[in-house]
Amino acid sequence: EDQVTQSPEALRLQEGESSSLNCSYTVSGLRGLFWYRQDPGKGPEFLFTLYSAGEEKEKERLKATLTKKESFLHITAPKPEDSATYLCAVQARGNNRLAFGKGNQVVVIP
Amino acid sequence: EAGVTQFPSHSVIEKGQTVTLRCDPISGHDNLYWYRRVMGKEIKFLLHFVKESKQDESGMPNNRFLAERTGGTYSTLKVQPAELEDSGVYFCASSLRTDYGYTFGSGTRLTVV
């Protein structure tokens, strides 16, 4: 069964203090690894898809990287509006469903 | 472009009652998915439609859950009869492709008392 473990569960950052979130995964043949952002009371909002080890994607202050066993979401110089839960999910070859981790809850303090 | 719409946003029902959740996907998205998050756990897959056909329903917990997608447009998820463990947030998502990020709705929070 596909498994995703995210760490740390919760993170408090000062505004401007860069940090990284970890997503470790086991999957029987990776088709894609997804990062989502979720705000309270809302559904997950798509950020990135990574397909192969060594791939990197960036969006504003966020940068996602992928290895064969884990992915990192780097948050550079975060702002309070980056406060959210970040979700990692994997999709195995041969199926279309996503297996999610429990998320990284990030709070950025002004 | 309108997003994925779910309603109701909240529903409180008694154990043994029936509840129907509705999802309107983004127009033109053939792929429609249902996921669920119960308290303290991760979001879990329930099923996947391609147009009106069920592509994968391996995540449906039991036969008290019935999903339909009329004419390949909106979808409903019926729980009958509801049990306490069915409480959680039910998310619907849609996509053009199956290997790219989905667009999720805001979810329906179901509480069974």
Side-chain angles (χ1 to χ4, degrees):
Chain A
E1 187 176 320
D2 305 331
Q3 285 201 322
V4 177
T5 304
Q6 294 187 245
S7 62
E9 286 186 17
L11 187 63
R12 287 172 65 89
L13 299 171
Q14 288 293 133
E15 184 172 0
E17 178 189 1
S18 301
S19 189
S20 296
L21 311 178
N22 178 264
C23 170
S24 297
Y25 66 91
T26 54
V27 64
S28 53
L30 181 70
R31 186 181 183 195
L33 184 140
F34 300 75
W35 281 99
Y36 285 85
R37 169 195 170 122
Q38 187 174 21
D39 294 300
K42 296 193 175 181
E45 176 189 343
F46 173 68
L47 293 173
F48 307 108
T49 307
L50 302 167
Y51 297 101
S52 58
E55 191 174 359
E56 299 182 350
K57 292 225 174 132
E58 283 188 72
K59 180 179 180 178
E60 296 181 355
R61 294 175 294 282
L62 301 177
K63 178 179 176 180
T65 61
L66 180 65
T67 72
K68 289 187 178 179
K69 293 183 179 179
E70 58 192 350
S71 176
F72 290 93
L73 186 65
H74 307 280
I75 311 177
T76 302
K79 298 183 177 182
E81 52 262 42
D82 295 322
S83 298
T85 295
Y86 292 87
L87 298 167
C88 175
V90 295
Q91 186 182 54
R93 283 197 213 105
N95 72 64
N96 299 316
R97 59 186 179 270
L98 299 183
F100 280 88
K102 288 187 177 181
N104 307 98
Q105 186 178 22
V106 175
V107 174
V108 182
I109 304 158
Chain B
E1 175 182 80
V4 176
T5 305
Q6 292 186 248
F7 50 93
S9 56
H10 294 84
S11 180
V12 181
I13 62 170
E14 291 185 353
K15 177 182 170 180
Q17 289 187 323
T18 297
V19 63
T20 300
L21 314 181
R22 174 167 167 149
C23 170
D24 287 83
I26 292 173
S27 177
H29 282 192
D30 288 341
N31 296 285
L32 186 148
Y33 313 83
W34 284 97
Y35 284 79
R36 175 175 75 169
R37 185 169 199 163
V38 298
M39 192 179 298
K41 304 267 185 152
E42 64 274 18
I43 296 173
K44 288 210 166 178
F45 169 82
L46 295 177
L47 88 160
H48 170 212
F49 283 101
V50 178
K51 296 186 179 178
E52 68 274 11
S53 300
K54 291 177 187 174
Q55 182 80 5
D56 180 357
E57 50 183 330
S58 61
M60 294 288 264
N62 51 61
N63 60 10
R64 295 185 293 103
F65 289 75
L66 175 64
E68 294 180 324
R69 189 175 183 193
T70 306
T73 56
Y74 70 91
S75 175
T76 57
L77 180 64
K78 181 190 288 189
V79 185
Q80 179 182 30
E83 298 288 345
L84 298 179
E85 64 264 26
D86 300 333
S87 296
V89 182
Y90 289 76
F91 292 105
C92 174
S94 72
S95 69
L96 276 172
R97 290 165 47 180
T98 58
D99 63 342
Y100 199 64
Y102 313 156
T103 301
F104 278 84
S106 292
T108 294
R109 180 173 295 277
L110 175 64
T111 304
V112 183
V113 297

